[in-house]
Amino acid sequence: MNPTPQLSTRALRSGYGKRVVVDGVDVTIPSGRITVIVGANACGKSTLLKTMARILAPQSGQVLLDGTPVGSIPTRTLATRLGLLPQQPIAPEGIAVADLVGRGRHPHQSVFRSTGAQDRRIVEESLLATRTAELADRSIDELSGGQRQRVWIAMALAQRTDVLLLDEPTTFLDLTHQVEVLDLLTDLNRERGTTVVMVLHDVNLSARYADHIIAMKRGRVVAAGAPRDVVDADLVAKVFDLEADVITDPVSGTPLIVPRGRHHVLTDAGA
């Protein structure tokens, strides 16, 4: 088995036009682990992920895969090593679920190699893993938001890359399906050694599922490390401008953020 490639950034600046969103970021993604990027809205989480995936070009600095700038890696080669599930993917109108998931196999094919038995097996496994096999013949246009999201994840799984980047993979999902998807990605990481990098809004789920957390504010990284080492009340206040208690999750033993707010703080009279 080939070692899992290492993804990193060096002095990375990126954004849109002249607007800088990610400003001077140095991160190293632990290989073969689950990393979650957290932070308030518009802090640069998705922009960082898109730049690592080469959807956005750096304004300065570099994104490196095993020490090689991703911009110098041929597109098809990069697509076999690094997969991306964007926040709002767009499917061709009327495409069937199985056909959409099958597109995850395209980087592994060429004019001399069309869809084969191995591709069909991987597509079927990806549908089963995301509990979408019964939807295989249906049009993507007929599905609910939650069903569509699971199909997109199946397509990302079918790509079979060593590194998988996901921008809000639990979008549109209820709590049950959020946990199912995060359990699925954990299985993928543990069974195949896939490096998983996600942007999530739910900090408590992030702390539970991440091996490594990157916390961002205003385009910069303010903390990075294991959840138990970096998630505390000071970090929550700094990153989210939120007063909270941080306790131990009774299920996972990871940090659990309990927001204070203005209306639900116990007093002696109400205790």
Side-chain angles (χ1 to χ4, degrees):
M1 179 181 293
N2 293 326
T4 303
Q6 185 176 79
L7 184 65
S8 61
T9 71
R10 294 291 178 267
L12 182 67
R13 297 181 81 218
S14 65
Y16 307 90
K18 295 182 179 179
R19 183 165 64 96
V20 176
V21 179
V22 170
D23 189 7
V25 167
D26 293 284
V27 296
T28 297
I29 304 299
S31 298
R33 310 302 290 273
I34 295 176
T35 294
V36 179
I37 307 171
V38 300
N41 289 342
C43 72
K45 303 184 299 295
S46 293
T47 301
L48 174 59
L49 199 77
K50 289 177 184 176
T51 311
M52 288 194 294
R54 209 172 74 177
I55 301 300
L56 291 175
Q59 295 175 346
S60 63
Q62 292 182 313
V63 177
L64 305 170
L65 187 64
D66 276 346
T68 301
V70 296
S72 68
I73 300 174
T75 298
R76 183 175 290 273
T77 300
L78 186 65
T80 64
R81 304 181 68 195
L82 191 154
L84 171 70
L85 177 61
Q87 194 173 68
Q88 294 180 318
I90 299 174
E93 184 176 353
I95 190 171
V97 166
D99 292 337
L100 181 63
V101 175
R103 292 193 171 202
R105 301 302 303 156
H106 285 186
H108 301 274
Q109 299 166 357
S110 68
V111 293
F112 303 107
R113 179 185 175 276
S114 59
T115 301
Q118 182 183 24
D119 298 311
R120 290 189 290 271
R121 175 181 57 79
I122 290 173
V123 168
E124 182 178 357
E125 289 175 354
S126 301
L127 290 167
L128 288 170
T130 52
R131 300 189 182 184
T132 53
E134 70 278 6
L135 306 175
D137 296 326
R138 292 180 60 182
S139 168
I140 192 75
D141 300 330
E142 301 173 7
L143 306 185
S144 69
Q147 289 172 324
R148 286 189 189 195
Q149 191 69 358
R150 284 188 284 149
V151 169
W152 283 113
I153 292 171
M155 190 189 77
L157 294 184
Q159 197 170 336
R160 290 288 175 96
T161 55
D162 293 323
V163 180
L164 184 57
L165 310 179
L166 305 105
D167 193 355
E168 290 290 345
T170 56
T171 298
F172 305 121
L173 301 182
D174 59 31
L175 184 58
T176 298
H177 288 114
Q178 288 180 45
V179 171
E180 284 185 358
V181 164
L182 293 172
D183 279 345
L184 167 66
L185 293 170
T186 300
D187 291 340
L188 177 71
N189 167 257
R190 292 179 179 176
E191 294 169 6
R192 301 180 190 168
T194 303
T195 299
V196 177
V197 187
M198 294 184 279
V199 169
L200 292 179
H201 274 299
D202 190 314
V203 184
N204 286 329
L205 285 177
S206 300
R208 177 178 287 193
Y209 283 92
D211 300 305
H212 186 77
I213 274 186
I214 296 171
M216 297 186 66
K217 183 170 185 176
R218 297 176 184 169
R220 295 179 179 269
V221 173
V222 297
R228 288 183 179 89
D229 295 335
V230 300
V231 178
D232 57 21
D234 289 341
L235 181 75
V236 174
K238 183 174 184 178
V239 172
F240 297 100
D241 296 318
L242 176 68
E243 185 178 357
D245 291 332
V246 177
I247 63 176
T248 299
D249 186 324
V251 173
S252 62
T254 53
L256 179 67
I257 296 168
V258 183
R260 284 184 169 269
R262 294 187 294 108
H263 298 292
H264 302 99
V265 178
L266 290 176
T267 64
D268 291 339

